């Protein structure tokens, strides 16, 4: 299937699909085998830079999800190799998988670039960070332990941390590999078994990593990958009666459906990372306006703005507003748009036609509701789903572009006067994923950091989510955490064992 695992569709390779070492068809990965979907159906995988079909992937339906869950359940049974293996050995397997990810880094990065459209430099970064995340969790495997708890009466109590069981994981297309790593790292460290549903827009890298997991030596059934559509395969996972927990990343709308399906089926545990409309605040005391503009620019345009925690509401103090906007516009105009395989490219195509149209729709709304279009504002070229880097100034909080998640390369710059005001406006949203503040005043930073209702606050930096640092949303941006020790806890149950101690020995 993956006939040339170590070769990759290099930039120098012409973009015609037949010249790429890309399988024409990739099947589902269940119980350590690639298998056809029960229906025999496939769906096309599209390169958003060329709008061409790069491969076809088997489309999982409910029967396939059943099969994957059965494999994961068998792998979770108490006598199965995965459950009887030393925890330290689980860690070794995870490190071995990371060695393979590093061996095939260029190939995998190219897969994500082909499938998602993100520039190679970003794909490589995602991959290195994914490896960092899985290695971080590999280290946890043999350090997960409960407590001995002093308690009333003639008892001793000990707690055990146990894996939650078979986990369903549904991930989005914006960071195909990284979202996999955020989900697999803690699940494998905890000792769970996995049924992963990658996004239908970007299924390739997950299937390739599944093949690597077999090569690394994971026992059959521990890792299963069932690509397919959200309302079919995704729905089958979220309402499955034999899945113990679901971890979902995606939109708030779908998150709500997943939670309802979990409630109505078997009350499986649910964690979710959803959307955001995160504020980034630039105070007049920050000092370095060039640097402030750069931080806000990257916060917005990184990954084409297709980032759940993008700094998508830029609040700038009124005294520096005009100067800031000038700099923001000049940075946006300089951003290099084009072929994501070109090493100079900073902005490739958006992931799909639908996403491009949605973003262009928001740009039209911005214009019609009276925001000032400073630059960009249209499709770039006529082939591929490219949108020009776009900046709006004079945006007010009631405008659609200030309220809804655009998920594209569109910076929205607003003006503020006082700290109290900007705190209130930062919090005036149903979301609460992330936030940032640029200030040289420690008191301003601390007051803001405590008052803002968001899962992450970045002071004098932005979008620093590290393997060690918990990440997750307040309010309708999600439930539960990923990354860090908190992320691991979401994959563990606590078992309480109470033992009676005789008061005297007879
Ligand atoms: P989406 O919610 O449509 O899709 C996400 C995943 O859910 C995909 O795998 C999809 O197939 C699946 N899905 C769709 N319908 C489903 C259903 N009825 N049941 C079960 N699964 C279903 O989101 P999208 O448009 O692909 O991605 C963009 C959104 O995701 C944005 O809103 C963004 O903010 C959010 N997102 C959040 C984070 C985060 O960490 N909080 C990260 C990335 C993306
Ligand atoms: Mn694609």
């Amino acid at each position: 299937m993956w006939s040339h695992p170590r070769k990759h569709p290099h930039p120098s390779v012409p973009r015609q699909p037949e010249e790429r070492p890309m399988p024409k068809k990739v099947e589902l990965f269940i119980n350590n085998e690639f298998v056809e979907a029960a229906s025999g159906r496939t769906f096309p995988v599209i390169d958003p830079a060329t709008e061409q079909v790069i491969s076809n992937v088997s489309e999982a339906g409910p029967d396939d999800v059943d099969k994957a869950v059965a494999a994961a359940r068998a792998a979770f049974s108490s006598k199965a190799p995965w459950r009887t293996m030393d925890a330290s050995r689980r860690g070794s397997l995870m490190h071995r998988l990371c060695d393979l990810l590093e061996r095939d880094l260029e190939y995998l990065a190219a897969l994500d670039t082909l499938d998602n459209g993100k520039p190679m430099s970003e794909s490589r970064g995602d991959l290195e960070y994914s490896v960092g995340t899985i290695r971080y969790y590999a280290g946890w495997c043999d350090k997960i332990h409960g407590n001995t708890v002093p308690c009333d009466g003639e008892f001793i109590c000990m707690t055990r941390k146990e894996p939650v069981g078979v986990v369903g994981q549904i991930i989005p297309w914006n960071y195909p590999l990284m979202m996999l790593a955020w989900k697999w790292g803690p699940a494998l460290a905890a000792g769970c078994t996995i049924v992963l549903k990658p996004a239908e827009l970007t299924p390739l890298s997950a299937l390739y990593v599944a093949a690597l997991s077999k090569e690394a030596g994971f026992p059959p059934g521990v890792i299963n990958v069932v690509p397919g559509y959200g309302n079919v395969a995704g729905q089958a996972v979220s309402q499955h009666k034999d899945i113990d927990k679901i971890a979902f990343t995606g939109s708030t709308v779908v998150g709500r459906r997943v939670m309802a399906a979990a409630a109505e089926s078997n009350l499986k545990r649910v964690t979710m990372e959803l959307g955001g409309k995160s504020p980034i605040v630039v105070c007049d005391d920050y000092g370095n306006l060039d640097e402030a503009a750069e931080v806000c620019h990257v916060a917005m345009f990184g990954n084409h703005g297709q980032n759940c925690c993008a700094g998508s509401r830029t609040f700038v103090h009124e005294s520096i507003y005009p100067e800031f906007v000038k700099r923001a516009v000049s940075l946006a105009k300089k951003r290099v748009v084009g072929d994501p395989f070109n090493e100079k490219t900073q902005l490739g195509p958006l992931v799909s036609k639908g996403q491009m149209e949605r973003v262009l729709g928001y740009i039209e709304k911005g214009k019609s509701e009276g925001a000032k279009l400073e630059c960009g504002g249209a499709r770039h070229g006529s082939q591929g789903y490219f949108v020009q880097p776009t900046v709006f100034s004079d945006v007010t909080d009631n405008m659609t572009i200030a309220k809804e998640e655009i998920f594209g390369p569109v910076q929205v710059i607003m003006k503020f006067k006082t700290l109290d005001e900007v705190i209130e406006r930062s919090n005036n949203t149903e979301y609460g994923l992330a936030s940032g503040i640029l200030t040289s005043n420690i008191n301003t930073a601390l007051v803001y950091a405590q008052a803002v209702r968001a899962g992450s606050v970045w002071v004098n930096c932005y979008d620093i989510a590290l393997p060690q640092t918990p990440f997750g949303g307040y309010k309708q941006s999600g439930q539960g955490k990923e990354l860090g020790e908190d992320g691991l806890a979401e994959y563990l149950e606590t078992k309480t064992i109470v033992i009676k101690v005789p008061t005297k020995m007879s």
Side-chain angles (χ1 to χ4, degrees):
M1 156 148 353
W2 301 94
S3 48
H4 308 283
R6 267 158 255 189
K7 279 199 209 160
H8 59 86
H10 193 264
S12 62
V13 173
R15 298 192 67 101
Q16 285 74 35
E18 66 274 13
E19 294 188 40
R20 292 183 195 137
M22 175 67 63
K24 288 208 159 49
K25 182 172 151 195
V26 189
E27 296 169 324
L28 316 174
F29 186 79
I30 298 175
N31 214 23
N32 270 4
E33 302 300 336
F34 282 97
V35 293
E36 288 255 19
S39 67
R41 279 215 289 269
T42 63
F43 64 94
V45 183
I46 290 165
D47 170 358
T50 59
E51 308 182 26
Q52 288 177 20
V53 174
I54 36 180
S55 187
N56 289 282
V57 166
S58 292
E59 188 205 322
D63 293 346
D64 306 296
V65 170
D66 279 348
K67 205 165 132 190
V69 174
R73 178 58 63 195
F76 192 74
S77 74
S78 58
K79 300 229 169 69
W82 182 241
R83 298 301 302 290
T84 53
M85 163 186 305
D86 286 343
S88 60
R89 169 86 185 124
R90 285 207 306 274
S92 307
L93 283 175
M94 292 171 72
H95 279 300
R96 174 87 185 112
L97 175 61
C98 289
D99 295 343
L100 300 179
L101 291 171
E102 281 168 339
R103 181 194 71 190
D104 295 349
L105 189 142
E106 280 292 303
Y107 184 83
L108 267 163
L111 273 185
D112 263 5
T113 289
L114 265 178
D115 204 349
N116 167 284
K118 64 174 73 193
M120 272 302 278
S121 56
E122 295 212 14
S123 293
R124 285 191 198 103
D126 286 5
L127 195 71
E128 281 161 16
Y129 179 41
S130 301
V131 167
T133 302
I134 296 174
R135 289 203 193 281
Y136 165 79
Y137 280 112
W140 266 109
C141 292
D142 58 355
K143 299 167 194 71
I144 300 170
H145 53 73
N147 286 319
T148 310
V149 187
C151 51
D152 291 348
E154 303 162 330
F155 308 102
I156 60 170
C157 171
M158 59 183 183
T159 62
R160 256 170 72 80
K161 294 288 179 186
E162 299 187 344
V164 78
V166 174
V167 300
Q169 304 181 321
I170 300 178
I171 59 173
W173 44 260
N174 56 344
Y175 294 96
L177 262 170
M178 228 168 78
M179 289 297 104
L180 175 152
W182 285 26
K183 301 256 178 308
W184 286 13
L188 294 171
C192 296
T193 59
I194 294 170
V195 176
L196 176 88
K197 212 256 346 133
E200 55 269 43
L201 292 172
T202 55
L204 290 178
S205 55
L207 289 161
Y208 188 78
V209 179
L212 294 185
S213 75
K214 180 175 180 179
E215 187 180 343
F218 282 88
V222 173
I223 288 170
N224 305 277
V225 179
V226 286
Y229 291 104
N231 58 2
V232 182
Q235 180 74 20
V237 169
S238 38
Q239 68 189 22
H240 205 284
K241 285 204 182 346
D242 201 27
I243 289 182
D244 299 298
K245 170 203 162 71
I246 190 150
F248 171 79
T249 298
S251 61
T252 298
V253 176
V254 174
R256 201 168 266 127
R257 257 184 245 157
V258 167
M259 205 162 175
E264 279 160 18
S265 51
N266 64 342
L267 285 170
K268 56 179 70 65
R269 281 96 183 89
V270 178
T271 49
M272 36 184 70
E273 304 284 354
L274 308 172
K277 189 72 181 173
S278 301
I280 176 165
V281 176
V282 185
C283 300
D284 56 347
D285 61 23
Y286 184 65
N288 188 338
L289 206 51
D290 287 331
E291 196 179 282
E294 177 72 28
V295 171
C296 294
H297 174 78
V298 175
M300 187 58 243
F301 291 94
N303 207 42
H304 310 160
Q306 298 172 144
N307 179 2
C308 52
C309 57
S312 52
R313 286 186 293 152
T314 309
F315 288 104
V316 179
H317 192 267
E318 59 175 7
S319 66
I320 52 171
Y321 190 84
E323 282 303 309
F324 180 94
V325 171
K326 244 188 249 165
R327 285 166 172 77
V329 171
S330 122
L331 287 170
K333 284 186 174 159
K334 272 201 277 209
R335 201 157 185 89
V336 183
V337 187
D339 181 352
F341 280 99
N342 183 327
E343 295 291 339
K344 292 206 179 77
T345 294
Q346 295 170 302
L347 197 90
L350 300 191
V351 72
S352 66
K353 185 158 185 272
Q355 192 64 14
M356 177 182 74
E357 285 167 354
R358 189 175 153 221
V359 171
L360 291 173
Y362 275 116
I363 291 172
E364 285 315 306
K365 270 244 151 87
K367 289 195 232 167
S368 69
E369 291 178 9
K372 182 171 173 212
L373 179 68
E374 295 275 358
C375 66
R379 186 175 181 179
H380 168 96
S382 56
Q383 193 206 37
Y385 311 127
F386 297 89
V387 172
Q388 296 169 348
T390 298
V391 177
F392 279 108
S393 66
D394 293 345
V395 179
T396 52
D397 294 359
N398 59 327
M399 291 178 186
T400 307
I401 57 170
K403 291 196 291 204
E404 294 181 16
E405 187 173 42
I406 300 174
F407 231 59
V410 182
Q411 190 175 27
V412 165
I413 313 180
M414 289 161 292
K415 212 181 270 179
F416 77 95
K417 274 192 179 52
T418 70
L419 183 61
D420 282 347
E421 168 208 331
V422 83
I423 288 170
E424 188 180 323
R425 290 169 68 195
S426 292
N427 287 338
N428 186 19
T429 165
E430 70 202 27
Y431 293 118
L433 190 55
S435 61
I437 186 162
L438 305 180
T439 174
S440 60
N441 184 329
I442 182 84
N443 291 327
T444 304
L446 288 172
V447 167
Y448 186 81
Q450 293 190 22
V452 69
R453 295 203 62 217
S456 293
V457 188
W458 293 299
V459 178
N460 296 341
C461 57
Y462 198 83
D463 200 357
I464 309 299
L466 302 170
Q468 301 81 7
T469 59
F471 178 88
Y474 280 29
K475 299 196 264 180
Q476 294 190 42
S477 284
Q479 299 214 2
K481 296 286 170 192
E482 295 195 286
L483 303 178
E485 190 175 355
D486 293 49
L488 179 65
E490 306 284 2
Y491 287 88
L492 295 167
E493 295 276 18
T494 301
K495 179 176 281 174
T496 304
I497 302 173
V498 177
I499 307 165
K500 183 168 181 196
V501 186
T503 43
K504 51 175 187 272
M505 296 292 287
S506 52

